[in-house]
Amino acid sequence: SYYLTGNLSSTNSGIVIAASGVTVDLMGFSITGDGDNGDYGIHVVGVTNAVIEDLVITGGRISGFDYGLSCAYMNNSRIEQMVVSGSSYGVYLDGYQGQCDGNTISDCTISGNSSYGVYLDGENSGQCDGNTISDCTISGNNSHGVYLRGLNGQCNGNTLYLIHISEPTRLGMI
């Protein structure tokens, strides 16, 4: 388990996770970026043949990054009680050419991102299946509030419930 003891300001990526079974508790603190393209607030870096599993990311705020939370090839993990705003992508579950399955995003506020609030990507022979988004407020994201992409791959069996989505946020699927 890892936890913050104060706010973190970053000119690159904030926290990188490359192992399974990790808990990151922000303890109510913030991770703030400088707005550069390609930077991540929290970046889970699994690979197609070594998927990261059983993570918990909880309890804080992320803003000012290209990707607030980018989770590549992550299964059976939880993102809870987070506020993600002011980034390009709020929460990006990346199963592009791999898998990102069985994850839960709950009790989060994802708002004011310049592109997508939550983006589930199972494109190009990948999969982003069986994920759950619950008890979240998703609002004011410029492109879509929740976007599911399974083009030439799959994005199936995902569940959205008890979500407050307000205008101008949209739900999109390909």
Side-chain angles (χ1 to χ4, degrees), residues 43-159:
H43 190 193
V44 177
V45 290
V47 293
T48 56
N49 63 349
V51 175
I52 302 293
E53 297 187 314
D54 302 317
L55 298 183
V56 177
I57 301 168
T58 187
R61 297 176 176 271
I62 298 174
S63 64
F65 291 93
D66 195 16
Y67 293 82
L69 266 155
S70 178
C71 304
Y73 314 117
M74 177 181 86
N75 288 345
N76 305 313
S77 297
R78 298 188 328 257
I79 298 167
E80 305 170 333
Q81 300 171 348
M82 296 294 299
V83 175
V84 184
S85 63
S87 294
S88 182
Y89 289 76
V91 178
Y92 182 71
L93 297 184
D94 182 4
Y96 180 90
Q97 295 183 330
Q99 60 179 287
C100 198
D101 299 335
N103 301 295
T104 299
I105 301 169
S106 65
D107 194 22
C108 293
T109 299
I110 302 163
S111 63
N113 295 290
S114 63
S115 290
Y116 299 92
V118 178
Y119 192 115
L120 280 66
D121 190 358
E123 184 180 2
N124 201 18
S125 300
Q127 63 187 53
C128 200
D129 296 339
N131 298 291
T132 299
I133 304 170
S134 67
D135 300 312
C136 292
T137 297
I138 301 172
S139 64
N141 299 289
N142 195 40
S143 182
H144 290 83
V146 178
Y147 193 78
L148 296 93
R149 185 173 178 92
L151 183 65
N152 297 318
Q154 58 189 45
C155 197
N156 299 321
N158 296 294
T159 304

